[in-house]
Amino acid sequence: MITIKSPREIELLRIAGNVVYKTHKYLEPMIKEGITTAELNRLGEEFIRKQGCTPSFKGCEGYPYAICMSVNSEVVHGFPSNYKLKNGDIITLDIGACWKGYHGDSAWTYAVGEVDDEKKFLMEHTKESLFKGLEQVKPGQRIGDIGHAVEEYALAHNLGVVKELCGHGVGTEVHEDPEVLNYGPGGTGPKIKEGMVIAVEPMLTAGNPDIYLHDNDWTVDTIDGRPSAHYEHTVVVTKDGYEILTGELKKNG
Ligand code: MG
Ligand code: MG
């Protein structure tokens, strides 16, 4: 069921989303050669809790950590570990925070030091594909228009679209209806309405988008071992577009 959020709920979602944003900004300068992903996870969890929130993903369907840390070819749900980041890696931090029962969800891919041209290209155009998808978020459009725009942009840049994973509604659950696919025909799916809150999150690959699951039953990786990037914002549909909830707080909402 797709729910329309009240102004009071949107205010709580805005606070949760802002904590997610601030956690990204807190961790970003620490994403450097030599730090372990476990340390980043520890610092991120501590920061989320200091803001009075709980990490949305810890315990979500059994996921054991606060933050998902996916390195290089890992697409999503990488486990924080003793792996030390190296110059030339890319890492996606997928962060969720819950404030008074309402969630925010945002993933971002970061470069560690200097990365090669393939990774630079992948990051730049995966980020752009998120905003191409978001351009479709306004009343009158349909959910399928988002995925159509993402896929069209990805394919125009020879990037692979991971189809097994998708965006989603956000509210009192971190994953709610509707599913927001990153592919498919436009003009399909539920109508986008003011007050809907969704996470748009393209996951693109530099090579073939086929994936496999690690033995830990969580981490999703590309079969060909080529890199993957992932950018995600939680947004609320407004009268004529959208407001990013996992960005900086706007003075007048
Ligand atoms: Mg996420
Ligand atoms: Mg998400």
Side-chain angles (χ1 to χ4, degrees):
M1 187 184 66
I2 302 174
T3 58
I4 300 296
K5 272 69 179 181
S6 69
R8 185 194 75 89
E9 289 180 295
I10 291 166
E11 190 48 38
L12 296 172
L13 287 156
R14 198 177 274 128
I15 295 169
N18 185 247
V19 169
V20 172
Y21 172 75
K22 285 197 291 196
T23 308
H24 272 286
K25 288 291 143 192
Y26 170 69
L27 293 176
E28 185 175 10
M30 293 186 249
I31 301 173
K32 288 202 167 118
E33 183 158 55
I35 195 166
T36 66
T37 54
E39 181 66 357
L40 284 173
N41 176 69
R42 188 188 68 75
L43 290 164
E45 177 167 4
E46 191 178 84
F47 185 86
I48 290 168
R49 293 190 190 279
K50 267 195 196 145
Q51 316 300 309
C53 288
T54 52
S56 301
F57 301 144
K58 198 170 192 177
C60 180
E61 294 167 45
Y63 184 79
Y65 300 100
I67 297 174
C68 301
M69 303 262 172
S70 306
V71 178
N72 294 329
S73 63
E74 292 174 351
V75 182
V76 290
H77 305 156
F79 278 12
S81 73
N82 291 326
Y83 177 76
K84 282 188 179 152
L85 293 179
K86 295 196 304 276
N87 187 49
D89 284 344
I90 57 173
I91 180 171
T92 300
L93 271 54
D94 196 349
I95 303 178
C98 180
W99 171 257
K100 298 190 175 172
Y102 288 81
H103 297 270
D105 184 8
S106 171
W108 215 253
T109 302
Y110 300 94
V112 183
E114 266 303 302
V115 301
D116 65 22
D117 288 347
E118 180 182 64
K119 285 173 175 162
K120 262 187 212 151
F121 184 89
L122 171 69
M123 289 174 70
E124 179 188 340
H125 294 293
T126 306
K127 192 194 294 178
E128 190 56 32
S129 78
L130 165 62
F131 289 96
K132 291 290 171 200
L134 288 173
E135 277 173 16
Q136 299 300 317
V137 179
K138 53 190 154 196
Q141 299 296 94
R142 289 181 181 268
I143 290 291
D145 294 322
I146 300 169
H148 182 68
V150 168
E151 183 179 37
E152 193 171 62
Y153 186 85
L155 296 183
H157 293 82
N158 279 318
L159 297 172
V161 178
V162 176
K163 294 187 173 170
E164 291 85 347
L165 299 155
C166 63
H168 48 89
V170 181
T172 53
E173 302 288 338
V174 70
H175 298 132
E176 297 185 351
D177 289 337
E179 286 194 330
V180 183
L181 302 181
N182 292 310
Y183 65 95
T188 58
K191 277 192 178 154
I192 296 174
K193 292 183 180 154
E194 186 177 357
M196 281 170 60
V197 175
I198 55 172
V200 178
E201 50 178 315
M203 289 150 269
L204 305 186
T205 63
N208 189 296
D210 290 346
I211 54 170
Y212 75 98
L213 191 63
H214 284 210
D215 289 341
N216 66 18
D217 277 343
W218 275 101
T219 306
V220 172
D221 211 320
T222 62
I223 290 176
D224 66 9
R226 287 177 67 188
S228 168
H230 179 194
Y231 292 85
E232 174 185 30
H233 269 312
T234 302
V235 305
V236 57
V237 182
T238 59
K239 193 157 51 68
D240 49 15
Y242 64 91
E243 174 196 331
I244 293 176
L245 298 177
T246 42
E248 281 182 88
L249 269 186
K250 287 185 197 151
K251 285 251 162 35
N252 303 311

